[in-house]
Amino acid sequence: MGPHPAVAAIRLAVRRVLHDVLTDLQRTSENAPPRPSRPPLPPQSPHEQAASPLVLVACSGGADSMALASALAFEAPKLGMRAGGITVDHGLQPGSDLRAAEVVVRLTALGLTPVESAAVDVGRDGGPEAAARDARYAALDAAAERHSAAAVLLGHTRDDQAETVLLGLARGSGIRSLSGMAATSGVAGRYRRPFLHLDRQTARKACMVQSLPVWDDPHNADPAYTRSRLRHEGLPALEKALGKGVVEALARTAQLSRDDADALDTWAAQAETTVRDATGLLECAKLYALPPAVRRRIVRRAAIDAGAPAGSLFARHIEEVDRLITGWRGQGAINLPGKVVAQRQGGRLVIRQG
């Protein structure tokens, strides 16, 4: 008799991602420049031989990440890979250090190694949720670098994807915001999200049938947080008004939007070289001739390159700068986040630190 359907589903999702990681590693190895010839080295001991690839799981102790950790522990050895784990202590709740220590014990009991807890200081930039996310990813990046991990698995589900799409819609930041979370992201595709096509209940069910203890973060039910309100009030209201299937439709919208956004980003990257003068400045007349979706991507990239934080750069900022190109009436400079200033000078769009 095979595993429970929920367990089978999460294992299959992880297996597919691990295969992708191995394929990417092989491609990287094949494209690496040849090493200079050297005299033969003496035989290496087992400890000196190159270790098999390491994949880490980011685990909070919740149902999604515990289900992911259990599937990684089961699948990685079958593919000749090592499985480790990391939990991040944000220090935002009393006893968070004890909770992180418990997660370390649970991951170790699953057979993961190395396993560690990383304590972080959460700032205030961008609000509490964004600040916690930034601190968490910084800790995960540091752990991946320290252990030379081939990938870090994240437990975001289809429900998380739907919430992300709705948050992007509320910001009005364009099609890229509607594309939600990518299945692969980060430096060299470091972060992998195997569960984006699985719902939250599947992960919880997998934990239950495997008797895996889980921790429900009280912040996930705290109405002070936007995502929590959306999860417990917004999405249920949408499903009541529109019927079941809203989450699936939003996740599908994310994928379609991502495909479109990727194509437009590629177009903008190619077009950017044609709209700069010999000194590298953007020429307004050439920008004006481009489709708005392409032009605004070039403007956004120029603002980010000048120092504007991507997370604080909204559609309204880009629209204001765009009017310097399409509705020029002698208006003054536009102030952007990060103390970046955009202004039109002699038919050129100049974006720089103010």
Side-chain angles (χ1 to χ4, degrees):
M1 184 176 178
H4 187 279
V7 176
I10 65 169
R11 288 178 178 175
L12 176 60
V14 169
R15 189 183 317 141
R16 287 172 172 168
V17 166
L18 293 182
H19 276 294
D20 290 343
V21 172
L22 287 174
T23 299
D24 290 346
L25 288 173
Q26 182 178 1
R27 288 173 179 166
T28 301
S29 176
E30 291 173 350
N31 294 331
R35 297 180 180 179
S37 59
R38 300 177 181 175
L41 295 175
Q44 293 178 313
S45 70
H47 294 291
E48 293 172 325
Q49 292 175 0
S52 57
L54 170 67
V55 175
L56 298 174
V57 58
C59 185
S60 67
D64 302 340
S65 56
M66 281 301 297
L68 182 59
S70 70
L72 176 63
F74 182 83
E75 293 292 340
K78 295 163 63 176
L79 295 174
M81 306 176 78
R82 293 178 297 139
I86 177 170
T87 186
V88 178
D89 174 16
H90 297 86
L92 298 177
Q93 301 172 25
S96 64
D97 56 336
L98 298 178
R99 176 65 58 187
E102 289 178 5
V103 174
V104 169
V105 171
R106 292 175 186 176
L107 295 181
T108 302
L110 288 173
L112 301 184
T113 184
V115 175
E116 64 181 47
S117 170
V120 298
D121 293 321
V122 177
R124 298 183 178 181
D125 292 344
E129 292 169 281
R133 182 175 59 250
D134 291 344
R136 180 167 59 254
Y137 277 101
L140 294 178
D141 279 335
E145 294 289 345
R146 187 166 56 254
H147 295 291
S148 299
V152 178
L153 305 190
L154 305 176
H156 297 120
T157 65
R158 186 170 63 193
D159 301 79
D160 296 308
Q161 185 74 298
E163 294 161 8
T164 302
V165 171
L166 287 176
L167 290 171
L169 182 64
R171 287 195 298 267
S173 299
I175 194 172
R176 179 54 73 184
S177 288
L178 297 182
S179 65
M181 296 175 285
T184 301
S185 63
V187 177
R190 168 175 291 159
Y191 294 108
R192 311 286 176 129
R193 298 177 175 86
F195 289 175
L196 287 184
H197 297 293
L198 298 177
D199 60 32
R200 194 172 285 141
Q201 286 304 314
T202 297
R204 186 168 289 276
K205 184 69 173 179
C207 289
M208 185 181 71
V209 299
Q210 295 178 101
S211 300
L212 292 175
V214 299
W215 173 63
D216 291 315
D217 187 346
H219 280 176
N220 290 336
D222 188 344
Y225 295 94
T226 304
R227 187 177 283 269
S228 175
R229 295 196 301 273
L230 182 59
R231 179 174 301 177
H232 297 287
E233 301 173 23
L235 270 173
L238 282 175
E239 290 197 332
K240 183 178 180 180
L242 302 176
K244 295 293 183 181
V246 170
V247 169
E248 293 87 343
L250 287 169
R252 188 164 56 251
T253 296
Q255 185 57 59
L256 294 172
S257 298
R258 180 166 296 280
D259 292 342
D260 291 348
D262 288 345
L264 287 168
D265 285 348
T266 299
W267 186 355
Q270 295 170 345
E272 183 175 359
T273 60
T274 70
V275 296
R276 291 187 181 274
D277 64 15
T279 65
L281 293 177
L282 294 167
E283 299 185 65
C284 292
K286 292 181 178 179
L287 284 169
Y288 184 86
L290 293 173
V294 177
R295 179 177 65 243
R296 289 172 182 169
R297 275 169 166 74
I298 294 174
V299 169
R300 177 179 173 81
R301 174 48 55 192
I304 293 173
D305 289 345
S312 302
L313 197 59
F314 300 138
R316 59 184 174 83
H317 296 126
I318 303 305
E319 289 169 0
E320 290 180 16
V321 178
D322 196 45
R323 279 193 284 272
L324 295 177
I325 303 167
T326 63
W328 174 245
R329 299 182 304 277
Q331 58 264 49
I334 306 296
N335 293 317
L336 301 174
K339 298 181 180 180
V340 172
V341 174
Q343 59 189 111
R344 180 164 173 157
Q345 295 178 340
R348 304 294 190 269
L349 181 64
V350 181
I351 304 178
R352 62 190 177 205
Q353 284 285 329

